């Protein structure tokens, strides 16, 4: 049996490990997909070139130019499609560009889009700087507080979600929301970065499009910027493809390789992120300075039941709210951490802490608190060291908390 031949009956971790493996030539070959760097494609003759061009125009994934990517890109696309269970994947230079691609591919002047209020915040900048200029209306709503059906308009083209939400990890009822939207012919897209695509398959729960910042868990090593979009139908693939080409999007073969390498260990890394994050979340719950811990895997989390139904695990993101601290005291707590890095982003092997900006919290309609919130990304360190670091930061910043 060759590495490239595993069939559908294999379990998903096995398929992920072998996805895109190169075929053997003359009975031997490398384990890994080669990194095929190129700016263009060479053809034997003009007829072959024309044939490639026509097949590409008809929607086939063949390259007639460097921007289309070759073997490394195809292998990563196949692996991501296998992971998310869709029809076709698009690779973009960042997670944000993946979001923008979806918005520009599906929305035209005069269209209306409903966007969940807890989405990755920079989407609002795409709206205010680009979509508004194009005459596209974006309406933010609370998917847990508002009635979706009453917000749909005749010109609503897109329902855009993220579950769990950024920062506070509000779990959405994706099947119910998708059913309402699809009933009215509205396309459903959702940001699946939190689960890495491993703990949650939105396309099997009613979404049409799943978006991920591969920058986070797919890469897993804090050394890559990348986005992926997976669509569930040839019709959506054609729409995405048109916008993708018009925007001149592509990624380098080295980056495609790094993402593919990250994917091989996604299940084992995420299992450890979950173990460590659960230990940290349980520790945080016991701290008198902490009033609330946001982590859907905790039985006390309001989204726990939905999470249990629609997810097979939880990631390394844990946020918590201080009981009394001022924003300055929350900053002092973060500054007192020694092992945690201070910074944005997450999904790498290392732990990071970030004091949430109050204006970001206020974007979440369900947020009624006024105490500061700190977001932790729990990495793959020994959780005892992470807990010890948090404990010393609580002690160090104690007078202010
Ligand atoms: C980080 C992030 C993005 C954007 O990814 P970049 O690669 O940083 O552009 C999108 N969605 C979510 C949920 C994210 O956390």
């Amino acid at each position: 049996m060759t590495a490239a031949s595993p069939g559908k009956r294999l379990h998903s971790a096995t398929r992920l490990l072998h996805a895109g493996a190169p075929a053997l030539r003359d009975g031997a070959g490398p384990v890994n997909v080669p990194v095929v760097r190129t700016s263009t494609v060479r053809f034997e003759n003009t007829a072959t070139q024309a044939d490639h061009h026509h097949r590409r125009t008809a929607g086939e994934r063949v390259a007639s130019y460097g921007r289309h990517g070759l073997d490394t890109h195809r292998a990563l696309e196949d692996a991501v499609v296998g992971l998310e269970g869709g029809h076709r994947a698009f690779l973009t230079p960042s997670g944000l560009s993946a979001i923008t691609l979806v918005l520009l591919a599906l929305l035209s002047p005069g269209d209306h889009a409903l966007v969940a209020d807890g989405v990755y915040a920079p989407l609002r900048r795409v709206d205010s700087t680009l979509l508004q200029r194009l005459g596209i209306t974006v309406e933010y709503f609370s998917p847990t507080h508002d009635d979706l059906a009453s917000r749909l308009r005749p010109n609503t083209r897109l329902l855009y979600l993220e579950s769990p939400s950024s920062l506070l990890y509000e779990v959405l009822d994706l099947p119910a929301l998708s059913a309402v939207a699809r009933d009215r012919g509205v396309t459903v897209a959702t940001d699946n970065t939190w689960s890495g695509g491993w703990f949650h398959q939105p396309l099997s729960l009613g979404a049409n499009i799943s978006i991920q910042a591969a920058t986070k868990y797919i890469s897993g090593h804090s050394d890559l910027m990348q986005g992926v979009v997976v669509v569930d139908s040839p019709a959506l693939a054609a729409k995405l493809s048109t916008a993708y080409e018009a925007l001149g999007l592509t990624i380098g073969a080295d980056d495609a390789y790094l993402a593919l390498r990250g994917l091989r260990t996604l299940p084992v890394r995420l299992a450890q992120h979950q173990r460590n994050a659960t230990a940290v979340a349980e520790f945080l719950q016991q701290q008198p300075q902490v009033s609330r811990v946001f982590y859907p895997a905790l039985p006390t989390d309001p989204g726990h039941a939905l999470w249990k139904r629609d997810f097979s695990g939880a990631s390394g993101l844990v946020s918590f709210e201080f009981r009394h601290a001022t924003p300055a005291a929350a900053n002092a707590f973060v500054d007192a951490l020694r092992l945690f890095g201070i910074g944005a982003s997450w999904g790498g092997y290392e732990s990071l802490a970030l004091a949430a900006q109050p204006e970001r919290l206020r974007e979440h309609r369900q947020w009624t608190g006024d105490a500061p919130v700190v977001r932790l990304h729990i990495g793959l360190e020994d959780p005892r060291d992470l807990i010890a670091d948090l404990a010393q930061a609580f002690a160090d910043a104690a007078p202010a908390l």
Side-chain angles (χ1 to χ4, degrees), residues 104-169:
L104 288 179
L106 298 181
L107 298 170
S108 302
D111 285 350
H112 172 250
L114 280 167
V115 174
D117 59 1
V119 296
Y120 178 68
L123 182 149
R124 291 173 191 253
R125 220 164 44 228
V126 180
D127 170 21
S128 64
T129 59
L130 201 57
L131 301 184
Q132 285 179 22
R133 197 147 56 76
L134 297 174
I136 294 160
T137 306
V138 173
E139 181 182 339
Y140 301 91
F141 79 113
S142 167
T144 47
H145 286 62
D146 300 356
D147 173 30
L148 171 62
S150 69
R151 289 192 177 262
L152 291 168
R153 305 179 190 171
N155 60 337
T156 306
R157 297 279 171 266
L158 176 68
L159 172 66
Y160 184 97
L161 307 170
E162 180 179 327
S163 180
S165 68
S166 277
L167 216 49
L168 300 174
Y169 321 121

Side-chain angles (χ1 to χ4, degrees), residues 169-182:
Y169 321 121
E170 190 185 21
V171 185
L172 307 185
D173 192 341
L174 184 64
L177 293 164
S178 300
V180 172
R182 290 176 73 143

Side-chain angles (χ1 to χ4, degrees), residues 94-97 99 120 162 166 191 193 213 215-216 225-226 346:
S94 67
L96 184 56
S97 59
I99 295 170
Y120 178 68
E162 180 179 327
S166 277
D191 187 324
T193 305
T215 307
K216 310 284 171 51
M225 300 297 301
Q226 195 177 110
W346 45 273

Side-chain angles (χ1 to χ4, degrees), residues 9-345:
R9 69 197 179 282
L10 295 172
H11 294 97
S12 35
T14 311
R15 278 191 274 126
L16 192 58
L17 276 170
H18 293 283
L24 301 182
R25 292 205 182 107
D26 299 328
V31 171
N32 285 308
V33 176
V35 178
V36 181
R37 301 187 192 95
T38 187
S39 68
T40 193
V41 176
R42 266 187 325 135
F43 296 98
E44 193 174 16
N45 51 46
T46 52
T48 315
Q49 182 179 23
D51 177 59
H52 268 65
H53 177 74
H54 288 132
R55 284 164 57 197
R56 186 168 177 80
T57 316
E60 252 187 82
R61 288 187 311 153
V62 293
S64 54
Y65 182 55
R67 204 166 52 222
H68 308 146
L70 286 156
D71 312 39
T72 329
H73 297 71
R74 292 296 93 77
L76 175 58
E77 286 165 6
D78 289 347
V80 171
V81 164
L83 181 70
E84 295 267 2
H87 169 71
R88 180 158 170 197
F90 296 85
L91 311 173
T92 66
S94 67
L96 184 56
S97 59
I99 295 170
T100 308
L101 167 67
V102 169
L103 298 172
L104 288 179
L106 298 181
L107 298 170
S108 302
D111 285 350
H112 172 250
L114 280 167
V115 174
D117 59 1
V119 296
Y120 178 68
L123 182 149
R124 291 173 191 253
R125 220 164 44 228
V126 180
D127 170 21
S128 64
T129 59
L130 201 57
L131 301 184
Q132 285 179 22
R133 197 147 56 76
L134 297 174
I136 294 160
T137 306
V138 173
E139 181 182 339
Y140 301 91
F141 79 113
S142 167
T144 47
H145 286 62
D146 300 356
D147 173 30
L148 171 62
S150 69
R151 289 192 177 262
L152 291 168
R153 305 179 190 171
N155 60 337
T156 306
R157 297 279 171 266
L158 176 68
L159 172 66
Y160 184 97
L161 307 170
E162 180 179 327
S163 180
S165 68
S166 277
L167 216 49
L168 300 174
Y169 321 121
E170 190 185 21
V171 185
L172 307 185
D173 192 341
L174 184 64
L177 293 164
S178 300
V180 172
R182 290 176 73 143
D183 220 35
R184 301 270 291 266
V186 174
T187 303
V188 183
T190 190
D191 187 324
N192 193 24
T193 305
W194 184 90
S195 90
W198 179 247
F199 287 147
H200 186 55
Q201 278 75 43
L203 302 187
S204 71
L205 296 172
N208 303 107
I209 301 176
S210 181
I211 299 167
Q212 275 198 65
T215 307
K216 310 284 171 51
Y217 283 124
I218 288 181
S219 143
H221 294 76
S222 304
D223 54 4
L224 177 66
M225 300 297 301
Q226 195 177 110
V228 297
V229 179
V230 182
V231 300
D232 70 347
S233 70
L236 275 176
K239 276 192 182 174
L240 267 282
S241 186
T242 304
Y244 188 89
E245 300 250 342
L247 291 165
L249 294 177
T250 189
I251 64 167
D254 294 275
D255 284 349
Y257 182 83
L258 280 176
L260 197 55
R261 187 161 88 160
L263 273 176
R264 308 299 189 202
T265 57
L266 182 71
V268 285
R269 283 186 287 109
L270 276 173
Q272 191 63 41
H273 281 293
Q274 168 164 243
R275 272 196 290 278
N276 290 1
T278 302
V280 168
E282 286 169 353
F283 164 81
L284 288 170
Q285 274 194 313
Q286 291 155 13
Q287 305 313 302
Q289 302 94 333
V290 172
S291 57
R292 227 173 123 185
V293 179
F294 303 89
Y295 191 59
L298 289 176
T300 49
D301 191 281
H304 184 70
L306 279 178
W307 168 79
K308 241 176 132 168
R309 189 191 69 186
D310 294 344
F311 291 75
S312 59
S315 77
L317 283 171
V318 180
S319 294
F320 66 95
E321 182 189 19
F322 283 100
R323 197 176 297 282
H324 303 299
T326 60
N331 285 344
F333 170 84
V334 171
D335 286 337
L337 292 165
R338 294 173 193 155
L339 198 50
F340 283 78
I342 301 173
S345 199

